[in-house]
Amino acid sequence: MAFEKDNTFVKGRLKSILFAVKGAFKLATTEHSVMVQLSIALTLIVAGFYFGITKEEWLIQTLATGLVLGIEGINTAVEKIADFIHPDYHKKIGFIKDIAAGAVFFAALTAITIGSIIYIPYLF
């Protein structure tokens, strides 16, 4: 059954939110890398409460966590599209997937740096 396009603003936005939540749930329950990132995020939330980090540190930590999870989601989408288009190994598809993974790597390095700046002073 095809979905009819809903031209009303409120109903259309509610449907968009529903699709986004559904996608986030799929991402969190099927992708191991996202499960790892969510586990790290939950650990950082617990650490934030334990150490009593400042409001500014919470904001930056939340931004860094969202950055990693968002880029991880885009990376997963790129990988799924690439595998759908060309299921067998192909040099150009591999190159595209490596670039997407590199974006996650940059986001993760940024988050590790932010986490270190926030938590090292609390630890020492």
Side-chain angles (χ1 to χ4, degrees), residues 27 30-31 73-86 97:
L27 194 58
T30 62
E31 296 300 318
I74 292 169
N75 177 54
T76 300
V78 167
E79 288 181 354
K80 299 291 183 190
I81 290 169
D83 290 343
F84 178 77
I85 291 171
H86 205 292
K97 290 167 92 173

Side-chain angles (χ1 to χ4, degrees), residues 37-92:
Q37 299 297 349
L38 284 171
S39 297
I40 293 168
L42 290 173
T43 302
L44 288 172
I45 290 169
V46 170
F49 282 115
Y50 179 79
F51 290 112
I53 64 175
T54 67
K55 180 169 76 171
E56 291 79 10
E57 290 168 333
W58 274 113
L59 291 171
I60 294 168
Q61 176 175 292
T62 302
L63 182 63
T65 302
L67 172 72
V68 172
L69 289 169
I71 299 295
E72 188 70 62
I74 292 169
N75 177 54
T76 300
V78 167
E79 288 181 354
K80 299 291 183 190
I81 290 169
D83 290 343
F84 178 77
I85 291 171
H86 205 292
D88 299 325
Y89 176 79
H90 189 279
K91 186 177 177 181
K92 288 184 180 182

Side-chain angles (χ1 to χ4, degrees), residues 4-9 11-12 15:
E4 279 187 38
K5 182 163 174 62
D6 191 338
N7 293 325
T8 62
F9 181 76
K11 281 178 128 179
K15 282 184 179 180

